Amino acid sequence: MNREMQLDQNTLISAWQERLPALMKDGDSFSLQGDAADQNSLLIHFNAAGHQAYSLDFRCTYVDSREVAVDLVDVEQGGRHTDERTDAVQQLAQKYTRQIHECAQALQNLTNP
């Protein structure tokens, strides 16, 4: 059964900005915005603390009101594109993907009432 999202993007962004910091490690930071091309997607930019200035960009798309698909869009190190296949980047990508899923789960009372 397809459960469509009933939430507008701005409400979703506010909820994520409130909830996501509680799931993050000290020193990491993020910025978040709606994807103009898709009302059900959020673009999340993470800055990793102390990891040689890595930053990772993800697209989090609500497949339905309960499930999100998370895609790593870009990885930079010190402001330059870098290889996303290195162990350090893969570990960061897994950590942030997990945090995105945890946040989506924590917001289910909002997205799947």
Side-chain angles (χ1 to χ4, degrees):
M1 180 170 152
N2 188 3
R3 296 166 185 251
E4 296 234 349
M5 284 284 292
Q6 302 299 320
L7 223 51
D8 72 275
Q9 201 174 49
N10 291 332
T11 305
L12 204 54
I13 290 168
S14 297
W16 274 76
Q17 286 175 328
E18 223 171 85
R19 188 70 185 106
L20 191 54
L23 302 169
M24 295 181 62
K25 304 290 179 246
D26 292 341
D28 286 359
S29 63
F30 76 98
S31 60
L32 184 118
Q33 67 187 50
D35 184 343
D38 182 355
Q39 282 296 301
N40 290 331
S41 291
L42 302 173
L43 302 174
I44 307 170
H45 175 86
F46 288 98
N47 292 306
H51 287 92
Q52 300 100 33
Y54 280 119
S55 66
L56 290 81
D57 293 320
F58 292 88
R59 176 176 293 113
C60 172
T61 304
Y62 275 85
V63 178
D64 62 25
S65 61
R66 294 169 303 165
E67 185 185 349
V68 292
V70 179
D71 297 302
L72 179 60
V73 178
D74 187 35
V75 179
E76 292 186 354
Q77 183 177 18
R80 303 169 96 130
H81 292 286
T82 189
D83 186 355
E84 58 193 58
R85 294 170 303 211
T86 65
D87 282 348
V89 171
Q90 286 299 308
Q91 287 176 4
L92 283 171
Q94 287 174 358
K95 176 178 91 169
Y96 291 133
T97 298
R98 191 168 47 251
Q99 289 173 355
I100 291 169
H101 280 289
E102 286 172 11
C103 189
Q105 188 109 33
L107 294 174
Q108 274 196 2
N109 61 336
L110 200 62
T111 60
N112 187 33

